Amino acid sequence: MAADENELMSNSKEITYTARVEFGDCDPAGIVWFPNFFRWIDAASRHFFAECGVPRWEETARTLGVIGTPLVDTHTRFVKAASYGDTLQIAVRIAEWRDKSFVQTYRVLRGDELILECEEVRIFAAKREGGGIRAVPIPPTIRALCD
Amino acid sequence: MAADENELMSNSKEITYTARVEFGDCDPAGIVWFPNFFRWIDAASRHFFAECGVPRWEETARTLGVIGTPLVDTHTRFVKAASYGDTLQIAVRIAEWRDKSFVQTYRVLRGDELILECEEVRIFAAKREGGGIRAVPIPPTIRALCD
Amino acid sequence: MAADENELMSNSKEITYTARVEFGDCDPAGIVWFPNFFRWIDAASRHFFAECGVPRWEETARTLGVIGTPLVDTHTRFVKAASYGDTLQIAVRIAEWRDKSFVQTYRVLRGDELILECEEVRIFAAKREGGGIRAVPIPPTIRALCD
Amino acid sequence: MAADENELMSNSKEITYTARVEFGDCDPAGIVWFPNFFRWIDAASRHFFAECGVPRWEETARTLGVIGTPLVDTHTRFVKAASYGDTLQIAVRIAEWRDKSFVQTYRVLRGDELILECEEVRIFAAKREGGGIRAVPIPPTIRALCD
């Protein structure tokens, strides 16, 4: 990692989302069934934008044409298992802004223990005529709220 | 990719799992909410073992101490959105056996269109005394069924 | 149950939806975590309409203002547990049409064994100005397809 | 409701569970997809027992043979839709103890607005030899904690 990038990251906003692990989030092995981690990560992603002051996607759909931030890439490393009764803290930030995408990262902790790390690429999406979605350039008003 | 690796992969079993996308799998943007893709991928993973003749995890727990194949790493690239009414074919195989882990890969298709690609590292897990789980060496009887 | 009602029911369409129970659908007790049954029931509900020829809700939104069939009441009796590897057949029909709602019923079977029975009241919903949804009268074109 | 029943209910413990509605909990109509309400209701059910001092089901499995409280009947009335950004308060209590089952009730509120009401019958379950589960008499130690 280059020095500039380090600096960028150390200056970026970090916001924490809290998730409780419930009985029904666990599988027959008694541990969190992994798709549920992505449920919490997705909630943490939107929580980040909400805390930065970005309005609901219905509103950005009207004002900016943006209907959400779909995922285009995720790389996730699971370090420890979790189970029901656990409370997880998910530290989330935007590590990098690109032209038509951004990198959002997550560290999921149970107290001091690292449970997982995740690095995602997401886009701001608009509806495509005839169905489907397409990436739009990062809306400057949203970026300004998040930086 | 080196020639040897190509050869290894072309010789490995490939099994297909079919998933239907339902209305409730989609989010307010009208497309599949991404954690549901991991639900289908996890089902495809176990389907692979079931089709190879590996018994239910309750039985392997008794015979081998193995309670399942938890995920330790996933790298997933989302190429196209899907929506309800779509039928997805998930081609799954084991790309590599390591000492205490294995690489399982997935291609999710809608007809000829690539929807996503996923590469996972999973382990065979046993219960750890005092709680939690631990990786065990690849059970030769399971590997023999899957090769 | 009155004679007329019996007759009505015996004449109504019955359509079957098939669901496979996956490992991740089960909880630490090793049986299906019950909210997943409602996932399959909801899929069976829309499957019923799709099989009758009712188009996707985006299309009915344009043609009829109908965005879906939200639930207003469910009464569900769980008879037997199910677990992963099971294949469930869900027989669904519309037991009664009311002015602004309808009764949809489900029998979930594993082979000959009854797993659960469910009776729902649903509405055809339109967007309400200012947010939220409201019930609309049963669209005759939809009813004609389903009878 | 008879006077006696009123009295019984007014004396029973009521505990509140809080759920946030997330983007991914909502369907293409933009409102909570109903199976997610049952996810929160199930979490509220166990939260009730946890708050009363009942230990994790792994521990009751060892001490009492009880592996959980599966649902045998639910009757749920949906009054208003909810959407992401909403915070829901779920007031839960045990309305009635029977020999081998109990009635647990829920009122889901968003501020002062009633979103749904739910009445369930649940059992305390033990593993049945040869697979499956069976109801056991209400464990007096658990009832004493909850009354």
Side-chain angles (χ1 to χ4, degrees), chain C residues 57-131:
Chain C
W57 302 128
E58 291 93 328
E59 188 176 329
T60 59
R62 280 192 300 272
T63 55
L64 300 166
V66 168
I67 61 168
T69 55
L71 193 58
V72 294
D73 194 286
T74 183
H75 191 170
T76 306
R77 189 168 64 94
F78 299 86
V79 178
K80 289 211 169 169
S83 188
Y84 66 97
D86 289 348
T87 297
L88 305 178
Q89 305 291 335
I90 306 180
V92 49
R93 60 182 173 184
I94 291 180
E96 188 186 344
W97 294 98
R98 299 173 181 172
D99 286 351
K100 284 196 167 184
S101 65
F102 60 98
V103 178
Q104 204 166 18
T105 62
Y106 308 83
R107 284 172 60 81
V108 180
L109 298 163
R110 178 181 52 208
D112 291 338
E113 286 180 297
L114 180 63
I115 300 298
L116 70 80
E117 286 182 310
C118 171
E119 182 177 291
E120 293 178 339
V121 180
R122 288 179 180 252
I123 57 169
F124 288 95
K127 294 253 180 210
R128 187 198 294 280
E129 300 213 8

Side-chain angles (χ1 to χ4, degrees), chain C residues 10-77:
Chain C
S10 63
N11 290 334
S12 69
K13 270 185 198 165
E14 183 173 272
I15 284 170
T16 298
Y17 177 86
T18 301
R20 278 165 316 201
V21 182
E22 303 292 357
F23 180 77
D25 298 325
C26 300
D27 64 21
I31 58 175
V32 172
W33 185 51
F34 83 85
N36 288 313
F37 281 118
F38 289 109
R39 183 156 63 75
W40 299 318
I41 280 172
D42 194 61
S45 173
R46 206 193 71 86
H47 180 71
F48 178 91
F49 290 110
E51 289 288 302
C52 290
V54 177
R56 293 166 61 88
W57 302 128
E58 291 93 328
E59 188 176 329
T60 59
R62 280 192 300 272
T63 55
L64 300 166
V66 168
I67 61 168
T69 55
L71 193 58
V72 294
D73 194 286
T74 183
H75 191 170
T76 306
R77 189 168 64 94

Side-chain angles (χ1 to χ4, degrees), chain A residues 59-122:
Chain A
E59 188 175 330
T60 59
R62 280 191 300 271
T63 56
L64 300 166
V66 168
I67 61 168
T69 56
L71 193 58
V72 294
D73 193 285
T74 183
H75 191 170
T76 305
R77 190 168 64 93
F78 300 85
V79 179
K80 288 211 169 169
S83 188
Y84 67 97
D86 288 348
T87 297
L88 305 178
Q89 306 291 335
I90 305 179
V92 49
R93 60 182 173 184
I94 291 179
E96 188 186 344
W97 295 98
R98 299 172 182 173
D99 287 351
K100 285 195 166 185
S101 66
F102 60 97
V103 178
Q104 203 166 19
T105 62
Y106 308 83
R107 283 173 59 82
V108 179
L109 298 163
R110 178 182 52 206
D112 291 338
E113 286 179 297
L114 181 63
I115 301 298
L116 70 81
E117 285 182 311
C118 171
E119 181 177 291
E120 292 178 340
V121 180
R122 288 180 181 251

